[in-house]
Amino acid sequence: MFIKIDLELDVPIYQQLHNSIIEGIASKELAPGDSLPSVRAMASDLGVNMHTVNKAYQILKQEGFIQIHRQKGVVIQPEQMPPADEPYLESLAEKLRPLISEAICRGLDDKHFLKMCEKLYNDIQKVGEQWKP
């Protein structure tokens, strides 16, 4: 899996790492039970501070996407991914609301916005199809 980090973005590095790992899981590049590099190894590979990687890993652990074991290291949740339950849907709506508002302000109509969402959704799933054995 290729972690995408852009030091020029306004998005914090830990958030970029978090987002890349979740996208890797969504696209099936990362499968349940797959190992991730240790905090130290990931930081070295990306050329970032260990605290940055640790913060991303801790958030992913809290959200239920990874497990951190003393012996096994960091692994993608081997059992069940977190569900799209009511608290998640509320959080998703809160995150989408400002994006939709800005799109409306910029003159983007609902059809174009939904088409973009559908394309991105399908692009992520297509990556997963490439990784199937």
Side-chain angles (χ1 to χ4, degrees), residues 32-68:
D34 281 357
S35 293
L36 290 175
S38 69
V39 169
R40 186 180 306 267
M42 179 71 82
S44 176
D45 290 348
L46 297 175
V48 299
N49 190 294
M50 287 185 359
H51 297 293
T52 301
V53 175
N54 190 52
K55 184 171 184 174
Y57 279 5
Q58 290 303 317
I59 293 170
L60 288 163
K61 179 182 175 186
Q62 289 172 351
E63 294 173 341
F65 290 103
I66 65 171
Q67 291 181 350
I68 301 175

Side-chain angles (χ1 to χ4, degrees), residues 92-93 95-108 110 113-114 117:
L92 180 61
K95 292 173 187 171
L96 286 173
R97 189 171 199 86
L99 296 174
I100 294 168
S101 297
E102 183 176 354
I104 291 168
C105 289
R106 291 175 179 265
L108 192 65
D110 61 334
F113 185 85
L114 293 172
C117 290

Side-chain angles (χ1 to χ4, degrees), residues 1-132:
M1 171 188 175
F2 299 100
I3 302 291
K4 301 169 195 95
I5 301 294
D6 184 348
L7 302 176
E8 301 299 317
L9 288 180
D10 290 338
V11 178
I13 296 169
Y14 78 89
Q15 189 67 52
Q16 292 181 52
L17 178 57
H18 170 274
N19 294 347
S20 289
I21 291 171
I22 290 180
E23 186 170 331
I25 295 167
S27 68
K28 298 190 178 19
E29 290 179 78
L30 293 171
D34 281 357
S35 293
L36 290 175
S38 69
V39 169
R40 186 180 306 267
M42 179 71 82
S44 176
D45 290 348
L46 297 175
V48 299
N49 190 294
M50 287 185 359
H51 297 293
T52 301
V53 175
N54 190 52
K55 184 171 184 174
Y57 279 5
Q58 290 303 317
I59 293 170
L60 288 163
K61 179 182 175 186
Q62 289 172 351
E63 294 173 341
F65 290 103
I66 65 171
Q67 291 181 350
I68 301 175
H69 298 280
R70 285 194 176 136
Q71 297 157 338
K72 295 180 186 177
V74 182
V75 296
I76 303 301
Q77 179 61 260
E79 294 161 17
Q80 185 176 345
M81 284 290 135
D85 55 11
E86 196 60 36
Y88 169 74
L89 294 175
E90 289 172 10
S91 171
L92 180 61
E94 285 179 27
K95 292 173 187 171
L96 286 173
R97 189 171 199 86
L99 296 174
I100 294 168
S101 297
E102 183 176 354
I104 291 168
C105 289
R106 291 175 179 265
L108 192 65
D109 64 31
D110 61 334
K111 288 172 185 55
H112 193 165
F113 185 85
L114 293 172
K115 190 173 185 177
M116 283 184 68
C117 290
E118 185 176 21
K119 182 184 180 327
L120 290 168
Y121 190 98
N122 291 332
D123 287 350
I124 291 169
Q125 285 192 321
K126 284 178 188 172
V127 171
E129 291 170 5
Q130 295 172 358
W131 288 86
K132 288 182 181 174

